């Protein structure tokens, strides 16, 4: 143990970078500054950092009280939701326990549970676009 502490050599994390030749082909344009995505991400990375505003002691105390109240009410709402869910589970288990054994076995089996329909519609953030046909736009991923 003492040898490890008194060792004088410097620890190296990685070998020095070596220059690599650019590939010709698909991956050659990945770092092209003219590329829109690269420019977008560079703008994000080069953006100046936001500084935290300076609050007076009264504003800081008020912000703390608002945050504490939000946390308390969020916890109460979460606990109410969890209690309601647990009540439903307890009632379900009580109902299953009160059934005769043959009906309990049938009620607990998942054989009769139908799959959701294949054309089931899901909620979306935007309404459907009238006249849009997704078949007209083939996926690029399917190669």
């Amino acid at each position: 143990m003492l040898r490890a502490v008194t060792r004088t050599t410097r620890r190296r994390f990685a070998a020095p970078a070596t220059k690599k030749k650019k590939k010709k082909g698909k991956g050659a344009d990945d770092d092209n500054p003219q590329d829109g995505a690269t420019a977008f991400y560079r703008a994000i990375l080069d953006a100046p950092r936001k500084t935290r505003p300076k609050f007076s002691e009264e504003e800081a105390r008020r912000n703390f009280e608002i945050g504490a109240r939000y946390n308390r009410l969020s916890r109460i709402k979460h606990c109410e939701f969890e209690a309601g869910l647990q009540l439903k589970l307890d009632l379900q288990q009580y109902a299953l326990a009160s059934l005769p054994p043959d009906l309990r076995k049938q009620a607990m089996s998942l054989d009769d549970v139908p799959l959701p329909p294949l054309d089931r519609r899901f909620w979306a953030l935007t309404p459907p676009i009238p006249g849009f046909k997704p078949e007209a736009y083939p996926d690029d991923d399917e190669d």
Side-chain angles (χ1 to χ4, degrees):
M1 179 69 178
L2 185 59
R3 284 186 200 165
V5 174
T6 60
R7 191 175 288 169
T8 59
T9 60
R10 247 177 44 187
R11 181 176 175 197
R12 297 195 177 242
F13 290 102
T18 58
K19 291 187 177 183
K20 294 183 180 179
K21 293 182 181 178
K22 283 194 172 186
K23 290 189 250 176
K24 291 184 180 179
K26 284 188 175 181
D29 274 343
D30 288 345
D31 198 26
N32 185 358
Q34 302 299 326
D35 183 22
T38 303
F40 176 75
Y41 290 122
R42 282 198 180 170
I44 291 173
L45 293 173
D46 295 339
R49 290 193 173 265
K50 293 182 179 180
T51 58
R52 179 175 277 184
K54 303 290 183 192
F55 292 116
S56 68
E57 193 171 315
E58 181 182 333
E59 286 176 321
R61 182 184 50 77
R62 176 153 167 69
N63 287 346
F64 179 79
E65 289 173 1
I66 290 171
R69 179 180 166 90
Y70 174 79
N71 286 339
R72 186 172 52 254
L73 294 177
S74 295
R75 184 174 37 84
I76 289 171
K77 185 176 178 180
H78 171 73
C79 289
E80 288 173 352
F81 174 78
E82 292 291 322
L85 189 61
Q86 187 61 47
L87 176 66
K88 291 172 187 169
L89 289 171
D90 291 343
L91 290 173
Q92 180 189 35
Q93 292 301 317
Y94 179 76
L96 286 172
S98 65
L99 288 173
D102 56 335
L103 290 177
R104 184 180 318 133
K105 183 178 178 185
Q106 183 181 356
M108 293 183 70
S109 71
L110 297 175
D111 296 337
D112 299 333
V113 177
L115 293 174
L118 297 176
D119 61 344
R120 179 179 176 185
R121 299 193 54 144
F122 292 94
W123 287 98
L125 296 177
T126 58
I129 301 170
F132 177 74
K133 297 190 179 356
E135 303 86 32
Y137 302 94
D139 290 340
D140 292 337
D141 297 339
E142 297 177 3
D143 288 331

